[in-house]
Amino acid sequence: MVVVIVVVVVVVVVALVVVVVVVVVVALVVVVVVVVVVVVIVVVVVVVVVVVVVVVVIVVVVVVVVVVVVVVVIVVVVVVVVVVVVALVVVVVVVLVVVVVVVALVVVVVVVVVVVVVVVAVVALVVVVVIVVVVVVVVVVCSPRLTWRDMQHIVVMTARLVNLKADDWVVNGIGRKGTTLSCVFL
């Protein structure tokens, strides 16, 4: 009996270690994804800024050539055009930066939500496994002469039916409802 309890405790500990390792691996993958997304966003911002600077330099060079060639009246018009172009370029850069920051925030939020959902699912699975193991240990300790078939019978007969409106329910040989897959194994 003590050996059974020790084996069950070892199985539970191993299961918990596996769950912790899975959670750590998932967290590391999420961190890598977030880092890659941030790096891509930074590269996009740098490329946009470089393109804008090149456009501004080209516009300024064109304006200087026109100023040298044209009369004073045309110079005033060109200066106004340059100011408008520079203002438009600044507006475009600001809008692009805001869009990139918003996209980065959305990606981070989605990644955090996915991590939370995965962690909650893993914790729920661990809780279910621990409950089943504890029930089996209690039953075996209370009645050490039970066989695995007795345990299977106890589990099947005490199981609660869920999702009774599913299309894949069938009645098995002993009159209990189950899915076609569960009926094959019972």
Side-chain angles (χ1 to χ4, degrees), residues 34-59:
V34 168
V35 168
V36 168
V37 166
V38 169
V39 167
V40 166
I41 289 170
V42 168
V43 167
V44 166
V45 168
V46 168
V47 167
V48 166
V49 169
V50 167
V51 167
V52 167
V53 168
V54 167
V55 167
V56 169
V57 167
I58 290 172
V59 168

Side-chain angles (χ1 to χ4, degrees), residues 71-168:
V71 288
V72 173
V73 176
I74 294 177
V75 168
V76 170
V77 172
V78 170
V79 167
V80 169
V81 168
V82 168
V83 167
V84 169
V85 168
V86 169
L88 287 174
V89 168
V90 168
V91 168
V92 168
V93 168
V94 168
V95 168
L96 285 175
V97 167
V98 167
V99 167
V100 168
V101 168
V102 168
V103 168
L105 289 176
V106 168
V107 168
V108 168
V109 167
V110 167
V111 168
V112 167
V113 167
V114 167
V115 168
V116 167
V117 168
V118 168
V119 168
V120 167
V122 168
V123 167
L125 180 63
V126 168
V127 168
V128 169
V129 168
V130 168
I131 289 171
V132 169
V133 168
V134 167
V135 169
V136 169
V137 166
V138 167
V139 171
V140 169
V141 167
C142 291
S143 302
R145 294 184 314 175
L146 291 177
T147 67
W148 70 272
R149 288 185 184 267
D150 297 326
M151 290 304 300
Q152 184 182 28
H153 180 73
I154 289 169
V155 169
V156 168
M157 296 311 285
T158 58
R160 290 188 183 178
L161 299 177
V162 292
N163 194 15
L164 296 177
K165 294 184 181 188
D167 294 334
D168 60 347

